Amino acid sequence: MARSRPRLRGATALAALLLVGATTPPAAAAPGDGIGDPYFPDYGNTGYDVAHYDLRLDYTPDSDRLRGTATLVAEATEDLDAFTLDFLLDVDSVRVNGKPARVERHGDHKILVTPARPVRDGGQATIVVKYGDVPSSVRWGDSGLTGWNRTPDGAIALGQPEAAWWWFPANDHPLDKATFDVRVTVPEGYEAVSNGVLTGRSTVAGRTTSTWRQDDPQATYLATLAVGRYDVHRDTTASGLPVYNAYSEDLGALAGPARASIERGEEILEVQEADFGPYPFNALGGVVAAPEADLGFALETQTRPVYSHAFFARGSNTYVVAHELAHQWWGDHVSVAGWRDIWLNEGFASYAEWMWSEHEGEGTAQELADHVYHLYPADDPFWQVTPGDPGPADVFHPAVYDRGALAVHALRTEIGDDAFSELLTTWQREHAHGNATVEEFIALSEKVSGRQLDALYDAWLYTPGRPAAPGDAVSTRSAPAEPASWDAISGTHALLHRDGHTHHH
Ligand SMILES: [Zn+2]
C-alpha cells in the first residue's frame, strides 16, 4: 500500500494491543481462533489450507447487488468437525464435499461451518458457498470500515488487511496463499477487472462475462475486483507478459498524467528486475479508480495494482507506480508471515522509489536519505515508531515507510552495493511464492554479507529515537538540498494525509 494514513480500529485495535502482551498461546486451536497473527489474532482461520478459490460472480452496478458462488478447494490440516471462514455478506447455503452443511455467524466477521461429516486430517474439503448481498450496506467495527469502495458506475474491492470479507469467503491471512479463478458477469458496457490473465470475455443477452486467472499463489488481500466504465489499454511486453491497464472514464484531465505514469510500467519493471530478480508473475497492469471512489491510497493487488486518482492530480507520478510494482516482489511474491513483518513490504517498496529516482537522475538514494533524515527532527514523535515492530495501530504509520526506507539505506551503505544486490535477489529466490519474517531477512543479510548486524537493526528497526544518520557525510549537513523527485514522492504523501480517512467512512 502506498501512503495511507494509519488505520485506527477502535475497540479491535485496543483488544489486539492487549492480546499482544499475552505470551501463552492456547493449548489447542478452536474454530474461530484465527491463524495466529500477533497483531490481529482473530484474522484467518485454523484447521485447513486453501489451495484454490473459484469465484463465479454476478454484479449489478445500479443496485450494488452481488451474487456469488465461491468454491474453495482446501485440505484439512487437523480433524475438522467445524471450521470458520472470514466473511461478512449474507450466505444462502454452504456445502462441504457435496453435502449441505450448517452455517451460522461467528464473532464479528466470520461464519462457522459444520459439515455433515467431519473432514479428517489430510482430507480434501471442497467448500461451496452461495451468497448474495449489497456489499456497500455492510460496514464493520466501530469505525464502519469497508473494503468495498463504491463509485457512480460500480465498485472496487480493495483494502488492507481487510478486503475479502466484502466479496468472497476466505481464509483471510497472507499465510494461506492460493490460486484464483474469478468469473464476473456485469451489464454490457461495463468492465470487470481482477488479477492475472484475462482468459475470456463474452457478451450474451446484454450481460458481459469476464474470466480472470491468477495461477501463481496469491494472498487474499491481494485479490481485487473493479467494476465500472473504464478505458482499457491492452498490450504485450517485450518479454511476453500480457498488459491490461484500466482507466476510469471519469478521470477527466487526470487521464493524461495517469497514462503517462502507468504506461511506463514495463520500463520500471525492467529496472526492478535488475535490482530484485526476475518478475515473479505472468501478467502486468493497473487500475486507476474514479475520483468518486475516494480511495486516497494505492494497493499492490497482485499483477494489477489499484491507484487512487489523487496520485496524478499534480501531474504524472511514476514513483507511486515504482512503489506498487516493487511490491510485486516485496509483499506479493514474498509475503509477510504476520502483519508485524510489514517493514518487508513498505520499507522496500518505499526504497524502490528512491532507487527509481536514482535511475531517473532525479536524486540519488543517498540524497533522498539525507533529505528524509533531516525532515524529522530528533524529538519528532515520528522516531518513536519502530518499523520492525510498529504495533497493530501503526502498521501503516509514515515511519514504517520513511524510517523503513532509511533502514534499508543504512543496511546498503553498511554492507556495500554488491552484498546488498546479492541479498535482495537471494531473498526473492529463497522465499519464492512463500512467506517470511523480518528475523529471517536479518539472518540472511548477515549470512550474505558475512557481517554481524545486530547494532544496525536494533537502532533502525527496534529502538525508539533517531539513530545516527546512514551513509557518508550526512550527519554534518544541516539542510541538504531537496532532490528533484521529492515533490512527487512527498506530494502524494501530504495529499493522502488529508484524504486518507475517507475510505473508513
Ligand atoms: Zn506500499
Side-chain angles (χ1 to χ4, degrees):
M1 183 181 276
R3 312 294 184 184
S4 135
R5 70 188 283 280
R7 309 184 88 175
L8 302 172
R9 285 194 181 68
T12 300
L14 182 59
L17 279 164
L18 293 171
L19 283 168
V20 164
T23 51
T24 315
D33 273 353
I35 204 164
D37 192 285
Y39 282 7
F40 304 110
D42 62 348
Y43 284 26
N45 305 281
T46 56
Y48 63 94
D49 181 57
V50 181
H52 183 70
Y53 290 88
D54 180 278
L55 309 179
R56 299 170 79 87
L57 307 172
D58 186 291
Y59 181 66
T60 304
D62 286 353
S63 58
D64 194 39
R65 184 82 192 164
L66 177 70
R67 290 189 295 117
T69 300
T71 302
L72 282 59
V73 179
E75 181 182 320
T77 55
E78 59 190 71
D79 288 344
L80 277 187
D81 295 326
F83 60 89
T84 49
L85 293 162
D86 301 282
F87 197 44
L88 286 175
L89 302 187
D90 268 351
V91 172
D92 300 324
S93 67
V94 179
R95 284 178 182 258
V96 177
N97 292 336
K99 294 151 201 74
R102 198 170 80 228
V103 58
E104 58 202 284
R105 299 241 47 106
H106 186 90
D108 66 10
H109 69 270
K110 291 178 190 281
I111 55 173
L112 176 68
V113 176
T114 307
R117 294 180 195 165
V119 183
R120 291 294 152 225
D121 188 4
Q124 295 295 312
T126 304
I127 306 156
V128 180
V129 181
K130 296 200 173 206
Y131 53 98
D133 210 332
V134 176
S136 60
S137 71
V138 178
R139 297 297 168 92
W140 179 76
D142 294 340
S143 59
L145 186 77
T146 181
W148 188 257
N149 305 275
R150 274 286 264 164
T151 63
D153 56 357
I156 303 174
L158 196 72
Q160 182 186 13
E162 314 87 353
W165 307 355
W166 286 268
W167 68 291
F168 66 96
N171 189 13
D172 195 23
H173 192 276
L175 278 176
D176 192 356
K177 294 186 181 190
T179 55
F180 281 72
D181 279 316
V182 179
R183 176 188 187 272
V184 194
T185 301
V186 296
E188 186 175 7
Y190 292 83
E191 300 296 330
V193 186
S194 190
N195 311 86
V197 178
L198 179 66
T199 57
R201 191 171 187 277
S202 62
T203 300
V204 176
R207 307 278 291 175
T208 300
T209 298
S210 301
T211 56
W212 293 90
R213 167 159 288 181
Q214 173 59 259
D215 53 15
D216 288 311
Q218 172 173 281
T220 45
Y221 83 96
L222 297 171
T224 188
L225 172 67
V227 175
R229 297 190 185 275
Y230 288 92
D231 290 322
V232 173
H233 181 241
R234 299 183 69 175
D235 202 346
T236 306
T237 66
S239 60
L241 298 173
V243 179
Y244 187 105
N245 294 328
Y247 302 89
S248 165
E249 288 186 0
D250 292 342
L251 287 175
L254 302 189
R259 280 177 182 266
S261 312
I262 308 289
E263 297 298 331
R264 291 187 70 187
E266 179 176 0
E267 180 189 352
I268 293 169
L269 207 68
E270 283 177 14
V271 170
Q272 294 185 336
E273 282 193 304
D275 292 328
F276 307 143
Y279 180 63
F281 304 118
N282 63 357
L284 178 65
V287 175
V288 183
E292 297 87 345
D294 213 6
L295 288 181
F297 64 99
L299 187 62
E300 60 270 22
T301 35
Q302 196 156 304
T303 71
R304 197 146 288 108
V306 177
Y307 301 87
S308 167
H309 74 290
F311 287 101
F312 311 108
R314 293 152 57 98
S316 69
N317 183 346
T318 51
Y319 291 94
V320 68
V321 181
H323 181 105
E324 303 309 333
L325 292 185
H327 271 309
Q328 302 305 306
W329 286 266
W330 302 92
D332 295 12
H333 181 228
V334 182
S335 300
V336 294
W339 291 109
R340 186 170 57 192
D341 301 307
I342 191 69
W343 173 69
L344 293 173
N345 291 13
E346 302 305 345
F348 288 83
S350 298
Y351 195 69
E353 296 179 62
W354 299 6
M355 295 171 91
W356 175 244
S357 170
E358 192 158 315
H359 178 268
E360 288 291 272
E362 295 190 331
T364 64
Q366 182 65 54
E367 287 166 343
L368 281 155
D370 288 1
H371 189 69
V372 172
Y373 185 84
H374 284 98
L375 273 183
Y376 302 100
D379 60 354
D380 194 299
F382 169 90
W383 295 106
Q384 295 307 306
V385 176
T386 52
D389 191 3
D394 285 331
V395 166
F396 300 112
H397 189 280
V400 173
Y401 295 75
D402 288 349
R403 181 175 176 169
L406 283 166
V408 177
H409 190 70
L411 172 66
R412 178 182 173 182
T413 52
E414 177 80 14
I415 67 177
D417 279 0
D418 290 348
F420 182 70
S421 175
E422 187 189 339
L423 169 61
L424 300 192
T425 53
T426 304
W427 176 254
Q428 292 294 323
R429 203 169 51 243
E430 288 195 354
H431 297 283
H433 298 297
N435 301 82
T437 63
V438 172
E439 289 76 13
E440 288 173 301
F441 183 86
I442 291 173
L444 183 68
S445 68
E446 293 188 330
K447 185 178 158 199
V448 167
S449 68
R451 304 275 292 274
Q452 217 282 347
L453 300 168
D454 279 359
L456 180 139
Y457 286 117
D458 281 349
W460 279 102
L461 295 185
Y462 298 113
T463 306
R466 189 165 83 166
D472 336 350
V474 64
S475 303
T476 62
R477 287 183 228 163
S478 54
E482 180 178 303
S485 57
W486 185 246
D487 185 56
I489 293 174
S490 70
T492 55
H493 195 166
L495 178 69
L496 295 176
H497 274 260
R498 287 201 303 274
D499 288 352
H501 68 280
T502 52
H503 75 276
H504 293 270
H505 301 275

